[in-house]
Amino acid sequence: MTKIQVYNTMTQRKEEFIPREPGKVSIYVCGVTPYSETHLGHARPSVVWDVIKRFFRMMGYETLHVQNFTDVDDKIIARSLDEGVPALEISKKYIAEYLSDMDALGVERADIYPKVSEHMPEIIELVDKLVQKEHAYPAGGDVFFHVASFPEYGKLSKQRLEELRQGTRFEVDPAKRDPADFALWKEAKPGEPAWKSPWGEGRPGWHIECSAMSLKYLGEAFDFHGGGDELIFPHHENEIAQSEAATGCDLARYWVHHGMLNLKDMKMSKSIGNVIAVKELVKRYPKELLRFYLLSTHYRSALEFYDGKLEEVSKGWTRLNDAFLALQDDLARSTEERTSFDQETLEKLTSLEAEVVAALADDFNTAMAFGVLFEVVREINGYKHRQGNTTEVLQKAHDILQTFAGNIFGVLQDKKAGSDGLAESLLDLLLGLREELRKQKNFALSDQIRDQLASLGVTIEDTPQGPRWKV
RNA sequence: GGCGGCAUAGCCAAGUGGUAAGGCAGAGCUCUGCAAAAGCUCCAUUCCCCGGUUCAAAUCCGGGUGCCGCCUCCA
């Protein structure tokens, strides 16, 4: 079996992936706080993990993916007080939006989407356990985690406790024993949602929900813990402290952090906030293009977004799609005979296919995988250019693109998009007539047909194998 | 101030010790009634700068410079 290398933030290097349980991959990805619309930055990890999961399954693993919704949170509460709408109604609305936006991007859903509001008993139990073990202490109606009780604190973010104490730039709650201690449970303020607990009415601190819910659904030392790299500190550091202090086991085997999506030239667009809303993007661009863009840079690198970026990216994306579409047509009139030339191309394609797998097995390097897929495109186009027309060869190229560009990356557009059976029949009829005109050298009229179809968004290409159209 | 990361052609972007993938743009050619698509060729002696290690470095080490993230809610 192909070895899969994964960059682990904890060790700061690539490691061979060895699952906790053979053949199974358990994944916890920190999800969103549902208090406003879904933006491109949310889409990146979704698409990345979508691809990682599909790849693992192709490699014969079973995946179990848990992604939380932090639906009890300061920002939601603030919004709730602002709008006079119950907090859980707000989160419910944006959770639904998030899910439908991700659906629109073709992202396969997680297996479980636990919500904080539905896991109070588990959270309270975990906090209580930490208090019992003297890793945490109640103070008034709050409960704090005592970082000094966990000697490994800082191991993920490579921070030293002493530096953290000094780096504190905000006023420290006097109830804390140590400025670096953080809240596991917060006493309720009037008007806020609150739950009963041994320490009085209150709600969970920010980090504890992930510890409680990952433990419930994935257990101890599950395989992947993912999230944006801005979560390394304090969120994931604190999760580690809570979970590991409570269980004595590692929280996760591999910490996988993706890079941020940045905006350039924000001043160019007053409403840039709207421009990058996923809801708007999927109206204006095919989801396959958006995925191609998001996967064109390695997941750990920062990714820039700016006006015109998708137009730039779409040229390469179109090349990939055109090659695939053309192959579908070519296969319909391919032949069976085989030559040494066919054999050569077949071998080349087979070796490129192995390169794609190797790229993905090397820390999910989608950018490199695309590079190889473009070589597949060049190889097969060249083959056809040199009159190659053997089914087996064309099928091989088709299958590689179908498997990786299509099934794994989800960047191949369905040809039939935007058309129906009748429109297709009419187009074929029209193109047939146009061919007659061309045979009669009536180019004025045939060009007019082409131009007018173009203005309707239908592109005509006259190839040696006959006319081809696309929307 | 502390921690982490990044710096590769006009643009995007792979590449973690063996002599610079890929895409876009650009130039030339082929094919074509034309156009488009496609193919071929060309397009970084060089990887921010300065030292060092090595037979060999974009890749490792040290020092600069610049940028980003985190230390406060954040995917």
Side-chain angles (χ1 to χ4, degrees), chain A residues 12-234:
Chain A
Q12 298 177 287
R13 57 166 190 254
K14 282 186 206 167
E15 298 173 9
E16 183 185 343
F17 173 69
I18 299 166
R20 173 176 62 176
E21 267 183 85
K24 295 189 178 179
V25 184
S26 45
I27 304 164
Y28 186 92
V29 179
C30 282
V32 300
T33 301
Y35 72 102
S36 65
E37 62 186 353
T38 317
H39 62 255
L40 240 198
H42 298 120
R44 164 121 102 148
S46 302
V47 170
V48 164
W49 281 102
D50 187 33
V51 169
I52 292 175
K53 279 160 58 184
R54 295 186 199 199
F55 176 60
F56 268 119
R57 252 179 271 130
M58 183 188 135
M59 301 304 282
Y61 290 88
E62 246 176 70
T63 60
L64 177 58
H65 174 202
V66 178
Q67 184 169 122
N68 66 294
F69 283 116
T70 304
D71 66 343
V72 176
D73 169 271
D74 289 347
K75 292 187 295 293
I76 297 172
I77 293 168
R79 187 137 188 170
S80 152
L81 296 175
D82 239 36
E83 298 178 7
V85 178
L88 286 179
E89 247 175 64
I90 290 177
S91 57
K92 192 176 169 192
K93 173 187 165 192
Y94 287 112
I95 285 171
E97 266 192 36
Y98 173 86
L99 291 174
S100 81
D101 286 342
M102 292 308 130
D103 289 348
L105 285 170
V107 172
E108 185 183 294
R109 292 202 177 187
D111 298 290
I112 306 169
Y113 286 105
K115 301 184 192 81
V116 179
S117 61
E118 294 169 2
H119 292 80
M120 286 304 159
E122 289 86 350
I123 290 169
I124 289 168
E125 188 187 338
L126 183 59
V127 174
D128 191 48
K129 187 170 184 182
L130 287 166
V131 173
Q132 299 303 322
K133 294 181 96 166
E134 297 189 343
H135 280 108
Y137 54 92
D142 299 328
V143 181
F144 294 103
F145 185 89
H146 194 216
V147 292
S149 76
F150 186 70
E152 293 178 296
Y153 191 79
K155 67 179 175 180
L156 181 71
S157 58
K158 290 21 173 181
Q159 304 273 352
R160 264 169 286 132
L161 202 43
E162 200 42 50
E163 301 294 348
L164 286 171
R165 289 180 181 125
Q166 288 172 3
T168 311
R169 290 199 309 214
F170 52 99
E171 52 182 310
V172 176
D173 188 328
K176 290 183 183 178
R177 288 184 195 162
D178 186 315
D181 289 352
F182 57 91
L184 298 176
W185 189 261
K186 295 157 97 162
E187 182 176 20
K189 296 187 188 109
E192 288 184 353
W195 286 262
K196 283 195 174 68
S197 84
W199 315 282
E201 298 253 311
R203 60 191 168 96
W206 173 31
H207 319 290
I208 194 69
E209 82 279 13
C210 286
S211 288
M213 298 192 295
S214 66
L215 183 63
K216 173 171 180 180
Y217 294 104
L218 296 174
E220 296 163 350
F222 52 87
D223 293 312
F224 289 107
H225 195 129
D229 61 19
E230 93 286 10
L231 291 178
I232 294 171
F233 191 90

Side-chain angles (χ1 to χ4, degrees), chain A residues 325-377:
Chain A
L325 257 30
L327 277 170
Q328 295 188 141
D329 290 342
D330 298 329
L331 275 167
R333 42 176 174 258
S334 58
T335 61
E336 298 300 331
E337 42 94 31
R338 278 188 58 170
T339 66
S340 61
F341 171 45
D342 294 326
Q343 188 55 35
E344 227 173 84
T345 308
L346 215 44
E347 279 167 16
K348 179 71 179 163
L349 289 172
T350 303
S351 118
L352 287 172
E353 181 178 34
E355 281 184 48
V356 179
V357 174
L360 289 174
D362 185 5
D363 199 26
F364 317 115
N365 196 333
T366 53
M368 180 181 244
F370 278 130
V372 181
L373 289 178
F374 277 111
E375 289 187 55
V376 170
V377 168

Side-chain angles (χ1 to χ4, degrees), chain A residues 339-448:
Chain A
T339 66
S340 61
F341 171 45
D342 294 326
Q343 188 55 35
E344 227 173 84
T345 308
L346 215 44
E347 279 167 16
K348 179 71 179 163
L349 289 172
T350 303
S351 118
L352 287 172
E353 181 178 34
E355 281 184 48
V356 179
V357 174
L360 289 174
D362 185 5
D363 199 26
F364 317 115
N365 196 333
T366 53
M368 180 181 244
F370 278 130
V372 181
L373 289 178
F374 277 111
E375 289 187 55
V376 170
V377 168
R378 182 152 37 81
E379 185 67 26
I380 197 63
N381 282 341
Y383 170 79
K384 294 191 309 193
H385 183 78
R386 286 168 284 163
Q387 314 303 319
N389 191 34
T390 302
T391 306
E392 198 182 351
V393 178
L394 298 171
Q395 188 70 47
K396 182 70 184 174
H398 174 276
D399 290 351
I400 294 172
L401 294 180
Q402 176 70 63
T403 299
F404 294 96
N407 304 346
I408 305 273
F409 298 141
V411 302
L412 289 185
Q413 202 168 22
D414 189 345
K415 187 188 182 178
K416 306 299 177 227
S419 68
D420 54 44
L422 179 61
E424 255 176 77
S425 309
L426 290 175
L427 264 171
D428 289 341
L429 181 66
L430 194 53
L431 288 187
L433 289 171
R434 180 169 168 274
E435 279 311 280
E436 277 307 310
L437 291 171
R438 291 182 65 215
K439 271 185 197 150
Q440 293 164 20
K441 309 268 186 223
N442 190 343
F443 297 122
L445 198 49
S446 69
D447 285 354
Q448 197 185 332

Side-chain angles (χ1 to χ4, degrees), chain A residues 209-270:
Chain A
E209 82 279 13
C210 286
S211 288
M213 298 192 295
S214 66
L215 183 63
K216 173 171 180 180
Y217 294 104
L218 296 174
E220 296 163 350
F222 52 87
D223 293 312
F224 289 107
H225 195 129
D229 61 19
E230 93 286 10
L231 291 178
I232 294 171
F233 191 90
H235 186 53
H236 289 161
E237 195 68 70
N238 289 355
E239 277 186 54
I240 288 170
Q242 297 160 346
S243 293
E244 299 188 2
T247 68
C249 293
D250 284 348
L251 209 203
R253 298 164 65 80
Y254 305 91
W255 289 85
V256 174
H257 292 100
H258 63 266
M260 294 292 97
L261 200 139
N262 302 321
L263 294 177
K264 255 197 241 172
D265 302 326
M266 294 183 78
K267 63 187 172 184
M268 294 294 282
S269 169
K270 243 170 85 178

